[in-house]
Amino acid sequence: MAEEAILGFLNHNTQISDSGQFAAQLGFDHNEVVNVIKSLHGFRYVDVQDIKKETWVLTDEGKTYAATASPEMLLFLAIPPQGITKDELQKKLDPAVYKIGCSQAAKNKWVELGKLVTRKVQQVEDKVKNLLLQIQDGKVVGQDDIKALKARKLIAQQIWKGYSVSKGPNYAPERKKVATDLTRENLQRGDWKELEFKEYNFTAKGLPIDGGHLHPLLKARIKVRQQLKDIFRQMGFEEMPTNNFVESSFWNFDALFQPQQHPARDSHDTFFLQAPSTTNELPEDYVERVKCVHESGGYGSRGYGYDWKRAEADKNLLRTHTTAVSSRMLYALAQKPFVPKKYFSIDRVFRNEAVDRTHLAEFHQIEGLVCDRGLTLGDLLGVLHDFFSRLGMSKLKFKPAYNPYTEPSMEIFSYHEGFKKWVEVGNSGMFRPEMLLPMGLPEDVRVIAWGLSLERPTMILYGIDNIRDLFGSKIDLGLIKKNPLCRLGI
């Protein structure tokens, strides 16, 4: 209807001078008229000129005053001829009306604000209400009055946009229907000769292709993993093979001098396999030495003093840490003439624990170790400072901790500039003699090691405080599309 009215009007007139007035006269919604004008202008049926009008409209507070009265008028009317105390007057009025009314009435010299509030004049005019009603009716108001009302936030400026419309180069009393496709029916009927086709816009952009997006953790595994590997290699480390997710309890726990009664070996903390449930590939002579050091000690240790069970060591499980790989590598190293080594690994581990804001049932562990003669705690501190400084973590603190297979042991903390606090980033220590000497390593050989997760730095990078927002069913899919490459400032 609006399109017919616009084209029909221009058929007998040269111009629509104001789209707002045109819409009002014909009873159309102005937004509908504007949309039709834009469409006709796009096909050059009409030419348009922008019209902008600055108008003043009442705020919600201004509408209230226009409907009732201004606060100063309400206050004036609440004062009896003999006067009234401030407390009594305040009880008669709304707190906001009382506060604004006192200020404005005193400013207008309508009242005397002493111990007793009295009228200074007998009759007043509510100029504020009258001005608001004039603005509401679209009447012109003086600039001084506009400034006063604007200062009291009773009116706000509104910019009205419309168009003046005239005939365009392709004007016609009725819009021609242009074809967008040449169909089989057009060819059969032969009417393709008379068809007018819509011009093809070669510069128009097509719909954006919503292709695949890398998950932040996947980026972390690809980008950060490679960068961490580069750091380890620059420091002279070799990568350990980590392709066995399934490990025996012997290599995962017993070889690390972790007692069989340790809570971490319970089914509540470990995923044990049903099939195959046990292993039959363990070095028997080494197993016997491990059994002896657990039961009765040796190498300067008293051991744990319990009956070590082979059946417990044979159980298969999903490895709980990549230190199981380290125990295999150190045992293999001990079977040859000793050569100092630096090893590292980055791969997935599994823990049978409740998932919460900081824990998952599976995560990625980064581990490094140095095996050499005469190493001390000072060497471990130096290597840790070197390693973490290459990750952009120069402020480090260390806290004593307990691990069954390291002594001394230390938790590693780094100061996070974004969080403005110290954040735990890893664990470290020196492997115990009860772990190393049964393998056959020389007595003066020491092993320093440390580990951290891949998920914790990723959470810090993306400002995520709940790991379930990073991995699992609650993740924000928008994060996957918008997040940058995970580089950790390396």
Side-chain angles (χ1 to χ4, degrees):
M1 295 290 291
E3 181 175 310
E4 292 177 9
I6 293 170
L7 294 177
F9 185 87
L10 291 177
N11 193 31
H12 302 96
N13 300 274
T14 58
Q15 186 184 50
I16 296 174
S17 59
D18 188 317
S19 59
Q21 295 177 3
F22 180 81
Q25 289 171 1
L26 298 179
F28 292 124
D29 179 72
H30 184 243
N31 289 329
E32 180 187 356
V33 172
V34 166
N35 290 335
V36 172
I37 290 172
K38 289 180 179 179
S39 176
L40 293 173
H41 178 61
F43 290 97
R44 303 305 308 277
Y45 280 84
V46 298
D47 288 333
V48 300
Q49 292 291 331
D50 293 342
I51 299 175
K52 290 185 180 180
K53 295 178 183 179
E54 294 181 354
T55 59
W56 293 96
V57 295
L58 305 190
T59 62
D60 291 340
E61 187 178 359
K63 291 176 182 177
T64 301
Y65 296 169
T68 55
S70 65
E72 53 266 39
M73 189 65 182
L74 293 172
L75 181 133
F76 182 84
L77 295 174
I79 301 172
Q82 70 274 17
I84 189 173
T85 65
K86 286 185 177 180
D87 290 341
E88 291 176 348
L89 180 59
Q90 195 168 1
K91 291 177 182 178
K92 295 175 67 175
L93 299 170
D94 182 88
V97 171
Y98 175 80
K99 181 179 179 182
I100 300 172
C102 285
S103 174
Q104 294 298 324
K107 182 179 178 182
N108 295 341
K109 299 181 180 180
W110 291 357
V111 298
E112 185 72 37
L113 297 174
K115 290 184 178 180
L116 196 67
V117 182
T118 58
R119 295 181 179 182
K120 296 179 70 175
V121 293
Q122 296 305 312
Q123 291 184 343
V124 294
E125 178 188 358
D126 195 349
K127 185 179 178 181
V128 170
K129 178 179 179 179
N130 294 336
L131 289 171
L132 291 173
L133 289 172
Q134 291 178 40
I135 292 173
Q136 197 171 47
D137 294 337
K139 297 178 181 178
V140 179
V141 176
Q143 288 300 314
D144 291 340
D145 294 327
I146 289 291
K147 289 181 180 178
L149 294 174
K150 182 182 177 184
R152 291 181 64 174
K153 298 182 179 178
L154 301 180
I155 59 174
Q157 193 175 50
Q158 187 179 70
I159 298 177
W160 180 89
K161 294 182 180 180
Y163 298 98
S164 65
V165 186
S166 58
K167 295 178 181 179
N170 297 335
Y171 172 78
E174 185 178 349
R175 189 198 292 253
K176 297 177 182 178
K177 292 184 180 180
V178 292
T180 56
D181 294 304
L182 182 62
T183 66
R184 176 183 177 185
E185 289 74 17
N186 296 142
L187 295 174
Q188 289 176 338
R189 291 194 301 262
D191 59 5
W192 60 271
K193 298 177 182 179
E194 289 78 31
L195 287 178
E196 184 176 340
F197 288 93
K198 181 180 178 181
E199 292 183 5
Y200 194 88
N201 185 359
F202 289 95
T203 62
K205 294 182 178 179
L207 292 173
I209 299 174
D210 193 15
H213 300 274
L214 285 178
H215 188 284
L217 273 183
L218 189 58
K219 287 185 178 180
R221 290 174 61 192
I222 296 172
K223 290 297 294 183
V224 179
R225 190 178 198 164
Q226 186 57 48
Q227 290 170 334
L228 285 165
K229 285 184 178 182
D230 292 341
I231 289 175
F232 275 117
R233 289 180 179 126
Q234 290 165 10
M235 295 175 66
F237 284 73
E238 302 175 31
E239 185 172 7
M240 295 184 281
T242 57
N243 54 337
N244 288 336
F245 286 175
V246 175
E247 191 56 88
S248 68
S249 294
F250 177 80
W251 291 111
N252 196 84
F253 296 123
D254 296 271
L256 301 178
F257 195 57
Q258 190 160 328
Q260 293 184 338
Q261 301 91 347
H262 195 280
R265 299 181 66 154
D266 188 79
S267 61
H268 296 295
D269 293 320
T270 306
F271 289 109
F272 288 97
L273 267 66
Q274 289 185 346
S277 59
T278 58
T279 182
N280 54 9
E281 297 180 358
L282 294 177
E284 295 301 329
D285 56 339
Y286 176 46
V287 169
E288 188 61 31
R289 293 194 296 271
V290 169
K291 174 184 177 182
C292 290
V293 77
H294 274 251
E295 290 183 339
S296 56
Y299 316 103
S301 171
R302 293 184 302 175
Y304 290 116
Y306 70 96
D307 292 331
W308 186 87
K309 297 179 180 179
R310 175 63 181 267
E312 191 69 28
D314 287 342
K315 291 181 180 179
N316 284 332
L317 49 80
L318 293 178
R319 66 184 180 207
T320 62
H321 49 192
T322 52
T323 314
V325 181
S326 301
S327 64
R328 283 182 175 273
M329 294 299 293
L330 290 172
Y331 174 74
L333 185 64
Q335 308 316 303
K336 306 173 185 176
F338 178 74
V339 178
K341 287 288 184 180
K342 296 179 179 180
Y343 291 127
F344 80 91
S345 64
I346 306 172
D347 214 331
R348 186 169 293 193
V349 296
F350 308 86
R351 304 277 176 88
N352 186 11
E353 57 186 359
V355 175
D356 57 27
R357 65 187 302 111
T358 57
H359 296 87
L360 289 175
E362 54 181 300
F363 58 94
H364 293 81
Q365 183 175 332
I366 304 164
E367 183 163 339
L369 66 88
V370 180
C371 180
D372 203 348
R373 299 181 187 273
L375 293 175
T376 66
L377 187 65
D379 294 300
L380 174 59
L381 292 172
V383 172
L384 291 177
H385 275 288
D386 186 12
F387 174 78
F388 282 99
S389 66
R390 295 171 187 253
L391 280 172
M393 303 178 188
S394 56
K395 297 180 182 179
L396 296 181
K397 276 185 178 181
F398 304 95
K399 175 184 174 183
Y402 168 76
N403 288 317
Y405 45 88
T406 59
E407 179 61 36
S409 308
M410 301 182 301
E411 291 175 347
I412 310 165
F413 293 82
S414 173
Y415 187 76
H416 191 273
E417 296 292 345
F419 294 163
K420 300 299 181 185
K421 66 178 183 180
W422 291 91
V423 178
E424 184 182 353
V425 293
N427 210 327
S428 65
M430 300 185 68
F431 284 146
R432 297 176 67 103
E434 294 96 325
M435 170 188 166
L436 301 178
L437 296 179
M439 293 178 174
L441 289 168
E443 291 189 8
D444 60 344
V445 169
R446 305 287 184 268
V447 178
I448 57 176
W450 70 97
L452 62 150
S453 76
L454 191 61
E455 284 73 10
R456 178 66 63 87
T458 307
M459 289 175 65
I460 294 174
L461 175 69
Y462 289 100
I464 296 172
D465 63 356
N466 190 329
I467 198 168
R468 290 170 292 187
D469 293 334
L470 182 69
F471 186 82
S473 60
K474 294 185 178 181
I475 186 170
D476 178 12
L477 295 179
L479 173 68
I480 300 177
K481 297 180 180 180
K482 293 184 292 185
N483 67 78
L485 284 178
C486 174
R487 298 187 66 84
L488 292 180
I490 297 176

